[in-house]
Amino acid sequence: MPGTTPQPAQHPGGAHGSTRLPTTGRAWHLVRRPQGWPVPEDFALRETPVAAPAEGRILVRNRYFSVDPYMRGRMNDVKSYVPPFRLDAPMDGAAVGEVVASAADGFAPGDLVVHSLGWREYADFDARHATRVDPALAPLPAYLGVLGMPGLTAYAGLLEVASFKEGDTVFVSGAAGAVGSVAGQLARLKGAARVIGSAGSDDKVKLLREEYGFDAAFNYKKAPVAEQLKEAAPEGIDVYFDNVGGDHLEAAIGRLKLHGRVTLCGMIAQYNEVDPPAAPRNLALAIGKRLRLQGMIVMDHAHLQPRFVEEVAPWIRSGELKYHETVVDGIEHGVDAFLGMLRGQNVGKMVVSVAD
Ligand SMILES: NC(=O)c1ccc[n+]([C@@H]2O[C@H](COP(=O)([O-])OP(=O)(O)OC[C@H]3O[C@@H](n4cnc5c(N)ncnc54)[C@H](OP(=O)(O)O)[C@@H]3O)[C@@H](O)[C@H]2O)c1
């Protein structure tokens, strides 16, 4: 795997303001479809050509890119709500970076933008797919996490999909992660009677209780989820925000009250499983309890973005809503970051820092 830093070169080109651009940049390719857990050999970091952008396009030097659980699904060759990654081509996903050359009206070198060509050092794309961001409002990685897609997922999943209302008791799994930490804190800030979270280490549980203000939290690795949830929610729960599936979902179905609501946001416990898990085995309870279990995809809720930022940004500024990020330095560690996130090595949003 080549690990060289791209060398600056002169480009004549039509781009406004492109003087010294590199001739190549590194990008992560998927080279083999993982079976079960991905391994480093499924990926390759390769040099790809970089050129001055054509009319209407911009060239962006990525500063951070996101590694997300949904990307595991895109490594399989199956039809889904997003197409699979192609083999031997750069992978993509959310990124934030700096425009270094522009042939598009309204963009100039130095502008900072969010876009969807992550996993690479340089991204060349139609400027209509760039969203400008303001680093004075929030640090750049926040636009991939708390103020980005995961934050909106938490907001839409709790308020719109689960129809959260004041006084609800809410259980969130994956509660120390990018989506879960926002979902739990939003529930608290919006008047939940009780917020319960689960996570995979004692340190994460401590964070949930002491920093994020969860009323109760437990380490799902220490004892069966059903037992720990019963202890944490003796009166039952109204809402379950599911990031995990499997035994978490089974335990939640068991604790949900009449007319309880479940947001099926993610099922990370099974993304690397070759055989689907047996749980939940108690789904029939949903009938008698008149439960509503609803799947969600965040892109269906894009219309909520302005309201989400308007409501949540002040809580972030005031410190009422706290967030963490785990930043892995260097594009060469991109796959390590992705695998680390799947194993729970992140607290809050996992991002890869590509350049200063
Ligand atoms: N539907 C949508 O539109 C949408 C959008 C974004 C995200 N999602 C879903 O939301 C969930 C969270 O995503 P995120 O981006 O916020 O990731 P994240 O929670 O920041 O990171 C993933 C976390 O999953 C936990 N995990 C891994 N394996 C697990 C297992 N077997 N059982 C329980 N927990 C496990 C790990 O934390 P622990 O240390 O606690 O195990 C890990 O830190 C994922 O399921 C994702 O697919 C859905």
Side-chain angles (χ1 to χ4, degrees):
M1 246 184 290
T4 52
T5 306
Q7 294 304 308
Q10 299 289 334
H11 283 258
H16 331 304
S18 64
T19 44
R20 284 166 67 80
L21 299 178
T23 52
T24 61
R26 291 172 295 175
W28 277 106
H29 290 219
L30 183 70
V31 297
R32 190 174 69 182
R33 301 212 179 272
Q35 299 296 319
W37 277 89
V39 293
E41 294 72 27
D42 297 329
F43 309 89
L45 186 60
R46 291 180 173 158
E47 294 282 347
T48 52
V50 173
E55 198 53 39
R57 298 174 73 87
I58 53 178
L59 181 70
V60 172
R61 182 176 186 231
N62 281 336
R63 295 267 195 92
Y64 298 91
F65 68 83
S66 177
V67 289
D68 295 273
Y70 81 90
M71 292 170 175
R72 176 63 189 87
R74 296 189 65 194
M75 291 170 190
N76 301 331
D77 191 13
V78 290
K79 199 164 182 283
S80 182
Y81 59 95
V82 270
F85 290 128
R86 283 184 299 130
L87 289 180
D88 295 307
M91 296 189 288
D92 53 49
V96 59
E98 180 182 344
V99 176
V100 289
S102 170
D105 289 339
F107 286 94
D111 287 349
L112 294 161
V113 294
V114 166
H115 61 97
S116 59
L117 293 182
W119 288 97
R120 68 195 74 189
E121 287 175 305
Y122 288 88
D124 172 350
F125 57 96
D126 187 323
R128 285 174 299 184
H129 299 135
T131 305
R132 207 183 293 276
V133 296
D134 183 354
L137 286 184
L140 291 183
Y143 290 99
L144 302 178
V146 66
L147 281 176
M149 179 278 279
L152 179 63
T153 304
Y155 185 84
L158 184 73
L159 303 183
E160 204 157 81
V161 182
S163 314
F164 169 83
K165 43 184 197 325
E166 210 178 309
D168 278 344
T169 291
V170 177
F171 172 43
V172 182
S173 55
V179 173
S181 58
V182 178
Q185 291 184 82
L186 278 178
R188 168 176 58 74
L189 287 161
K190 286 191 160 283
R194 189 169 170 77
V195 183
I196 300 142
S198 70
S201 75
D202 290 347
D203 285 345
K204 289 185 181 182
V205 166
K206 190 163 181 258
L207 180 77
L208 296 181
R209 286 215 193 99
E210 295 180 8
E211 205 176 315
Y212 296 161
F214 282 62
D215 299 288
F218 59 86
N219 178 346
Y220 69 86
K221 292 179 179 166
K222 279 194 149 167
V225 180
E227 275 173 27
Q228 299 197 76
L229 182 59
K230 189 171 179 193
E231 200 174 310
E235 311 288 328
I237 58 175
D238 300 287
V239 168
Y240 173 44
F241 195 114
D242 190 15
N243 289 315
V244 169
D247 56 350
H248 271 83
L249 180 54
E250 184 171 299
I253 289 171
R255 290 313 299 158
L256 276 156
K257 299 182 200 167
L258 209 60
H259 299 291
R261 289 96 64 203
V262 179
T263 294
L264 298 173
C265 174
M267 297 204 172
I268 198 163
Q270 69 186 62
Y271 294 171
N272 293 305
E273 296 303 321
V274 178
D275 297 316
R281 297 161 299 180
N282 57 352
L283 192 55
L285 285 178
I287 302 167
K289 291 191 186 188
R290 286 79 151 178
L291 303 182
R292 175 158 63 79
L293 293 84
Q294 189 178 325
M296 73 167 289
I297 294 296
V298 61
M299 59 180 91
D300 298 342
H301 304 271
H303 62 281
L304 290 178
Q305 177 75 22
R307 204 172 94 197
F308 155 66
V309 172
E310 198 178 308
E311 203 169 355
V312 171
W315 280 329
I316 295 172
R317 264 197 303 277
S318 68
E320 286 167 280
L321 194 153
K322 298 187 168 46
Y323 68 97
H324 284 259
E325 282 147 359
T326 305
V327 181
V328 170
D329 279 326
I331 188 171
E332 60 278 14
H333 297 302
V335 167
D336 301 336
F338 174 68
L339 297 176
M341 177 278 299
L342 291 176
R343 292 195 189 98
Q345 287 165 5
N346 58 313
V347 177
K349 182 76 196 95
M350 181 72 111
V351 296
V352 177
S353 151
V354 185
D356 295 332

